[in-house]
Amino acid sequence: MVSVYDVGTRCWYPDEALGWIGVTVKSNTESAGKHVLEFVSETDEEQVFTVETTDLSEDNEKLPPLRNPPILEAAEDLTSLSYLNEPAVLHAIKVRYAQLNIYTYSGIVLIATNPFQRVDQLYSQDIIQAYAGKRRGELDPHLFAIAEDAYRYMKLDGKNQTIVVSGESGAGKTVSAKYIMRYFASVEEDSELEQNIGTEHKSDMSDVEKQILATNPIMEAFGNAKTTRNDNSSRFGKYLEILFDSKIAIIGARIRTYLLERSRLVFQPSTERNYHIFYQLLAGMNEDDKANLGLTTAEDYKYTNQGGKPVIEGVDDAKEFNITKDALSLIGINETRQFEIYKILAGLLHIGNIEIAATRNDANLASDEPNLVKACELLGIDPLNFSKWCTKKQITTRSEKIISNLNHKQALVARDSFAKYIYSALFDWLVDYVNADLCPPEVEAHIKSFIGVLDIYGFEHFEKNSFEQFCINYANEKLQQEFNQHVFKLEQEEYVKEEIEWSFIDFADNQPCINLIENRLGILALLDEESRLPAGNDQSWIEKMYQTLDKEPTNKVFKKPRFGQTKFIVSHYALDVSYDIDGFIEKNRDTVGEGHLDVMKNTTNELLQSVLAIIEKNAATLEAAQPQSKVRSIASKKPTLGSMFKNSLIELMKTIDSTNVHYIRCIKPNERKKAWEFDSLMVLSQLRACGVLETIRISCAGFPTRWSYVEFADRYHTLVHSDLWIKVMSGDTTQESVSELCNTILNQNIEDKGKYQLGNTKIFFKAGMLAHFEKLRSDKLHKSAVMIQKNMRKHYFRKKYLEIRDSHIQAQSLIRGHIKRAQIKRERENAAATLIQTSIRGHLVRKQVKETFDSIVVLQRSIRGLQARRNFTKLRSEKSALTIQNAWRGYTARRNYKKQLKSVVLIQSCFRRKLAVAEFKQLKADAKSVNKLKEVSYKLENKVIDLTQSLTTKIQDNKKLVTEITNLKNLLEQQSAAQEALKTREIEYNEKFDSKNVEHQQEIESLNRELENIKAEYTSAEQKIEQLTKEQAELRQEVERNIDELNKAKDALVKRDTIEVDLKSHIEQLKSEIANLQSQQLVVGNGVKARNISGKRHSSALAWNSPNSLDHNSNRPVSVIAVSHDEDANIDDINDELFKLLRDSRQLHREIVEGLLKGLKIPPSGVAADLTRKEVLFPARIIIIILSDMWRLGLTKESEEFLGEVLSSIQQIVSTLKDDDVIPNGAFWLSNTHELYSFVSYAQQTIIANDTLSHEMSEEEFDEYLKLVAVVKEDFESLSYNIYNMWMKKMEKDLEKKAVSAVVLSQSLPGFMAPENSPFLAKVFSPGIQYKMDDILSFFNSVYWSMKSYFIEHEVMNEVIIELLRFVDALCFNDLVMRRNFLSWKRGLQLNYNVTRLEEWCKGHEIQEGSAYLSHLLQAAKLLQLRKNTPDDIEIIYEICYALKPIQIQKLISQYYVADYETPIAPNVLQAVADKVKANDSTNGDDLFELVSTDGHFNDPFRTINLRPFSRVEAYVPAWLNLPVIRRIVELVAKNASVQEPSNEEEVETGEVNGIANGN
């Protein structure tokens, strides 16, 4: 290996102000056997340091520590640093902090540096979901990664987990623990995410999870306070166990607390505060309740005003009080019980204000002291006994009780001890209540595992350290020991797992310090012994410690100060801490006088009784846990605070040892709590105190750097000949081939085999080896670059030389050719001269002849042209004159005619206007005259009565004539019968005459005479019949005339009704005028009552029989199904049949649901689809026809059931759509639903606008009908909203699977393919499903043409496409900002190309400004392509990427992967970007992610567009649908409409005629 301290080597040099500064080796010389190194500061070149040494090895502690390569200086995991030294660790944390990265890994530890600023974007729900299911290292360091690790291990191994959050006050422990709890409460499982892709993330937590989070404000209010270091400092330790059942669901929680700082209740240093709850109570409680409790402001109470600053800047105590109240309610403490808690707190404040008078030797307190009386009233205790035991104490011996007086100081201590005792008990009661609420027995029975979050104080060392600091540092000693053992154990397990050779790692064990504290003769044992003695005091205790502990072997960790007898020094693992013994004994005793205990036990306050019972419960639990001993003294009955803390700490360590532990070390970067300020010395001391440097030291003792074979081969394969690694990359790459390549690289570049070890899956390196490989790699790249440059220059200059040589040869050839060409030219010129002379002479002669001939021709042509032009001009002038004359004469004639016509029209108009004005005035006067209206009405009624009487008379006469005609017909029949009889007799007579001719000859004459008489009678009868026939015809004509008169009377009656309705409407319009003119006016008489079609129909049928019921141009919904026009069709019969069919709901619902809706085959959509509206909207139109006729026939209940079936069926159909059916089917049903909504909306508008309908129906019927239509409209509106939301969610779910792969990962631009993160990884691990941009464009094409084919409005189409574009933009951008080692210049080109294709698609489909909805992706692509070398470049980036937030720009730049051929981004540039984020304080709370359907709900775009117009609703029933009932209903509806059309047309025509007549 080369020397590590060559000129140019970067190192660290110690500095008193900054800790360490960066320097570079300026010179390395050797003199007198010594190496003299000169170092120059990187920030100040005039600052030079000199070091002399005889050894240049890395182990020489005199030499400055080496710096890491730039690529590693801001490493996410400190253990990956090549040089693991103190300044390297500090610098890595500092650089990351300056770049707004507050989290850094150090092996198994997460270092969290407090930003002292709200960074909510780091803890949003999107960030939580980003870390869900991810292994540590896949994303940036984050406490969510630690939480996910714990969750995953618990889920896989079933082992309990613990997350230890530690750090000094103000480092952010409480906030970190709070966010970890929020993570467990709100994170979603992978299975949940798969079901809810594209929808809102889990925001509705279970009640248990809400209760767990509610414990935070409660514990903070009662256990946190403002200190000089922290505005929200936890003054107790807390271990929260989040409990899980067998299904890995949160079912409850348990809390254990440690060492509440009781002394804070009665004393607060300057600028500090008491516990938050007191200030919240005084600021947030209403005045009435405060008056009841006797409370005023914080300045009026000793317990709250000692710090001098009762208000924290930026904190609203009243608001926090409401949060605390809500949290208490959430865990089951009602307002009544809360008020009881406030009473106790108020009583404690009043106790603090009790004034105890001082005498010479003792103290005096009157029982009627105001504060004492109020405190005793609130606490329910006896003021007399309380005041007595504040000034006296009782000592119980075996034989008697001794009472003695207390001096003033002791009395104040007794008073404050009483208050501390109650507050401590109240705090324990709250913890116990929370545990009982969150972990009842039924929950405890189902506990399968838990994750514990330990929020405990970090190592503390102040100028004056007391009992609290001693206990805190004791706890940290125990935790540090467990931490060291855990780290060593993990290191050992890693080496065993990888099967490498290793030796035992020695690490600093702090067991001697722990023994010093907790042994039988340790500090705690001596403290307890002294505390149990009645006369025990601090001085006696310190003397015992000096005698017992200041000797072997404990004197290594216990030291006596050189001066003074009131302190002792303990050598902790972090540093030596000096403790002041003042108050140790009293704090450890933590006792209240027996008299005060009796006073408390006799309290009448029920809550205080419950609170005090907790003390006894905890003491009994502790006593039961201790081993039984035969001899127990009276003094040992009550445990001391130190022994209680020791026992609880032992229990905690047992719990931690039984779990898998994860560590979070919180760091406080500066003392002033200033945002983003980094104090290197302060951070360095905390790193030492929290054990991070010890972890690194343990790692350095072994093999701290570990790379997988694939990662190592990917980065360092260039260190061997290309034949070796090209063979691996081009062939079938396997794990074995990659391992062999790594072995070759190591063998060729490392001589000392002890510097690395080959494991099963990783390569382990000693410290510094990674920097060695980086130097080899950079040297190889430099040599390769020089070689490439050399060959490129050789190629360039050789090419230039060849070009010059070729130029010389070409120049020689050109010169020689020029000379020869000049000689030949002269000879050719001489020969040509003679030929030219001959040609010229001939040419001149021919030219002269030609010119003469041409001149003659031109002269002739000119003369002839002149003559022709003159003749043409003459003819044109004559024709123009004729044209002008004709035009003038026509003009004058037309002008005269128009003038006369205008005059005639004017005269006619004036005359007609005069007549019209007169007529209008007469009509207006008649219209205003009520008497005139009555007169017209009376005349019409009289005329009706006359016509009715005349009609009755005519009918009676007609009946008489009919009777007479019947009689005449009977007579005629008799005559016919007689004639027949005569004929029969004649035949008989003829027969007799033949047989008896002789006998009857004489009789012939008589018979002939008789016959003649009969003939005469017959003739007369025929004449009479003829006369009667004429009379019958006359009667028939008269009847016809009567019928015509009746029809005319009927028409007149209808016209009269129409006129009367018009008059009524006119009267209604003039009512306001009549009311102004006459104060009292009788209302015009009622009109003729409306006639119903059928007595059994609902009155709402009138609305659908009205010509204006749906639209001014339509009458009824009709069908395009062929209908037979039966002239004899009866409208009542049609309605009866319709009534029966629509009332049979079972058959109708079956056909609608199973046949029409579920059995439907939607017409295919696409570019080539040529669909008509009836082919798309026929389901909606069939439903419209059925619904409208149900309303028309009064089937209200049936219509509601029918609509319920339709709505639920359509919603179910859309909800079950999958795969390729989602887009077309969703668009189809969305269009049909809007058709239904438009119909109902038009119906509602028509009903409201139809005044006639409101007059014809009763008010109750009209309101009921209007309410029915409004409910139906609301149902269809809800259906449209639900369908649209389900459709959009399903499309986004499908799009989410494709978008990232297609837009972010796919590389469609040839020639600029970005390499994968590792060419070996792509070979070893096969990728999953890969989508391309063609898939995304096909998706959008499908959406667009489905909507267009199914007649969805253009505005809705735009809204859908825009929403999907926004989704793609946000989804892909959010994925982009979380990708590590991915963002590069080539990726920017590919991303820009992919997004541009989508933008071009938008332009081609009339989606305006598509780029505006893809702005984040486009600007992210531009950011990746722009230069980032100087702060000016950053300013340009901010101007171009205006849509990106500063935090997003900072994240993208910090994640940018610098290729080998690019200049690395300078630290000052990264700092400038981070400063931009810090400067934007108002927007610093912005989320890092873009919103991806944060609420999961979309506004229905159909509500913002116009309704679809309705002229005629045509029902198209496809032939393949087997729907006999629906077909019959449609046919009947169409027949009904065709029967009503003529009458409606006639009514319309009549109305139009009347309107014209009235207008004229």
Side-chain angles (χ1 to χ4, degrees), residues 1230 1284 1287-1288 1291 1340 1343 1347 1352 1355-1365 1501:
L1230 203 58
Y1284 181 74
W1287 188 50
M1288 288 297 295
M1291 288 197 296
F1340 276 94
V1343 174
M1347 292 190 291
I1352 290 181
E1355 296 89 343
V1356 178
M1357 293 172 59
N1358 279 357
E1359 185 64 28
V1360 171
I1361 298 297
I1362 287 170
E1363 190 64 41
L1364 293 175
L1365 289 174

Side-chain angles (χ1 to χ4, degrees), residues 595-689:
H596 274 160
L597 284 175
D598 293 335
V599 170
M600 282 189 280
K601 289 179 181 178
N602 294 325
T603 177
T604 59
N605 188 317
E606 295 181 359
L607 178 61
L608 184 55
Q609 292 176 357
S610 301
V611 167
L612 296 174
I614 294 298
I615 299 293
E616 298 178 359
K617 176 183 174 182
N618 293 342
T621 303
L622 184 63
E623 185 178 354
Q626 290 179 347
Q628 298 293 330
S629 60
K630 295 180 180 180
V631 180
R632 299 188 59 132
S633 64
I634 297 175
S636 65
K637 288 183 179 179
K638 176 172 172 47
T640 61
L641 190 59
S643 62
M644 292 170 61
F645 181 71
K646 174 184 174 182
N647 292 329
S648 60
L649 192 59
I650 292 172
E651 288 297 319
L652 173 64
M653 299 314 300
K654 288 181 180 179
T655 302
I656 292 177
D657 288 339
S658 66
T659 61
N660 187 23
V661 192
H662 310 264
Y663 294 94
I664 298 176
R665 298 297 196 225
C666 298
I667 301 295
K668 185 177 181 181
N670 63 81
E671 193 64 48
R672 297 187 300 165
K673 295 181 282 190
K674 187 175 180 181
W676 304 110
E677 184 178 288
F678 194 89
D679 184 344
S680 299
L681 292 178
M682 184 175 181
V683 173
L684 195 58
S685 67
Q686 293 177 72
L687 292 175
R688 292 167 180 160

Side-chain angles (χ1 to χ4, degrees), residues 1208-1401:
S1208 62
S1209 298
I1210 294 177
Q1211 190 160 332
Q1212 183 183 3
I1213 290 170
V1214 177
S1215 65
T1216 55
L1217 294 176
K1218 293 181 180 179
D1219 302 329
D1220 296 337
D1221 294 334
V1222 170
I1223 295 175
N1225 289 48
F1228 177 83
W1229 286 114
L1230 203 58
S1231 182
N1232 275 273
T1233 303
H1234 186 57
E1235 184 82 1
L1236 292 168
Y1237 175 79
S1238 299
F1239 161 72
V1240 177
S1241 298
Y1242 268 109
Q1244 185 184 42
Q1245 294 173 8
T1246 306
I1247 293 167
I1248 295 173
N1250 193 346
D1251 294 333
T1252 304
L1253 179 62
S1254 61
H1255 292 312
E1256 290 174 348
M1257 299 171 63
S1258 67
E1259 185 176 354
E1260 183 179 353
E1261 291 176 337
F1262 184 77
D1263 290 342
E1264 180 185 353
Y1265 183 51
L1266 199 60
K1267 183 178 179 182
L1268 171 65
V1269 178
V1271 170
V1272 173
K1273 178 184 175 183
E1274 186 177 349
D1275 289 341
F1276 280 125
E1277 184 176 351
S1278 299
L1279 177 64
S1280 176
Y1281 175 83
N1282 292 337
I1283 290 178
Y1284 181 74
N1285 272 267
M1286 286 190 291
W1287 188 50
M1288 288 297 295
K1289 289 176 183 177
K1290 288 178 180 290
M1291 288 197 296
E1292 287 189 352
K1293 179 180 179 181
D1294 184 33
L1295 195 57
E1296 186 166 4
K1297 294 186 294 186
K1298 303 175 181 178
V1300 173
S1301 177
V1303 179
V1304 179
L1305 300 180
S1306 68
Q1307 303 189 68
S1308 308
L1309 191 61
F1312 295 95
M1313 304 290 284
E1316 300 295 336
N1317 291 343
S1318 170
F1320 300 100
L1321 285 175
K1323 296 279 187 178
V1324 177
F1325 304 104
S1326 60
I1329 300 176
Q1330 297 293 322
Y1331 294 98
K1332 302 296 183 183
M1333 276 306 297
D1334 292 337
D1335 299 317
I1336 298 296
L1337 297 180
S1338 298
F1339 176 88
F1340 276 94
N1341 274 326
S1342 178
V1343 174
Y1344 178 85
W1345 286 109
S1346 293
M1347 292 190 291
K1348 194 173 184 66
S1349 300
Y1350 297 141
F1351 300 100
I1352 290 181
E1353 285 72 5
H1354 184 70
E1355 296 89 343
V1356 178
M1357 293 172 59
N1358 279 357
E1359 185 64 28
V1360 171
I1361 298 297
I1362 287 170
E1363 190 64 41
L1364 293 175
L1365 289 174
R1366 286 176 178 155
F1367 178 77
V1368 170
D1369 179 61
L1371 181 72
C1372 295
F1373 179 82
N1374 293 346
D1375 180 82
L1376 201 65
V1377 296
M1378 293 301 290
R1379 288 193 173 269
R1380 301 168 62 227
N1381 301 326
F1382 179 83
L1383 307 179
S1384 63
W1385 175 74
K1386 290 185 178 180
R1387 284 290 181 183
L1389 285 176
Q1390 296 290 349
L1391 180 63
N1392 187 70
Y1393 177 73
N1394 291 338
V1395 180
T1396 303
R1397 289 188 64 188
L1398 198 53
E1399 185 182 358
E1400 292 298 325
W1401 182 91

Side-chain angles (χ1 to χ4, degrees), residues 254-308:
R254 285 187 298 231
I255 297 177
R256 280 187 267 172
T257 58
Y258 306 96
L259 194 64
L260 177 70
E261 187 185 11
R262 308 183 187 191
S263 60
R264 179 162 294 272
L265 178 71
V266 299
F267 173 75
Q268 307 92 43
S270 177
T271 72
E272 295 191 5
R273 296 203 318 175
N274 206 326
Y275 292 106
H276 294 324
I277 186 62
F278 293 105
Y279 303 92
Q280 295 176 7
L281 184 71
L282 296 171
M285 182 173 280
N286 61 62
E287 295 300 326
D288 293 339
D289 290 339
K290 285 171 68 175
N292 291 335
L293 300 179
L295 298 177
T296 54
T297 61
E299 290 81 359
D300 298 332
Y301 299 97
K302 181 183 178 183
Y303 284 174
T304 57
N305 65 5
Q306 297 177 58

Side-chain angles (χ1 to χ4, degrees), residues 558-611:
F558 180 87
K559 299 176 183 177
K560 178 181 176 182
R562 296 178 61 185
F563 304 102
Q565 298 290 321
T566 61
K567 295 182 179 181
F568 65 94
I569 300 172
V570 177
S571 297
H572 291 288
Y573 69 93
L575 73 164
D576 294 351
V577 179
S578 175
Y579 295 99
D580 195 317
I581 64 171
D582 185 26
F584 259 77
I585 298 297
E586 284 299 326
K587 291 177 181 178
N588 187 49
R589 284 174 177 166
D590 191 40
T591 57
V592 179
E594 295 183 10
H596 274 160
L597 284 175
D598 293 335
V599 170
M600 282 189 280
K601 289 179 181 178
N602 294 325
T603 177
T604 59
N605 188 317
E606 295 181 359
L607 178 61
L608 184 55
Q609 292 176 357
S610 301
V611 167

Side-chain angles (χ1 to χ4, degrees), residues 461-474:
H461 52 98
F462 306 126
E463 291 184 6
K464 180 179 180 180
N465 302 288
S466 187
F467 179 75
E468 290 83 5
Q469 284 69 45
F470 175 76
C471 292
I472 288 171
N473 293 340
Y474 167 47

Side-chain angles (χ1 to χ4, degrees), residues 151 211 411 603 754 761 1076 1159 1172 1527 1533:
Y151 184 78
Q211 288 176 335
T603 177
T761 61
N1076 295 331
T1172 60
R1527 288 183 186 276
V1533 171

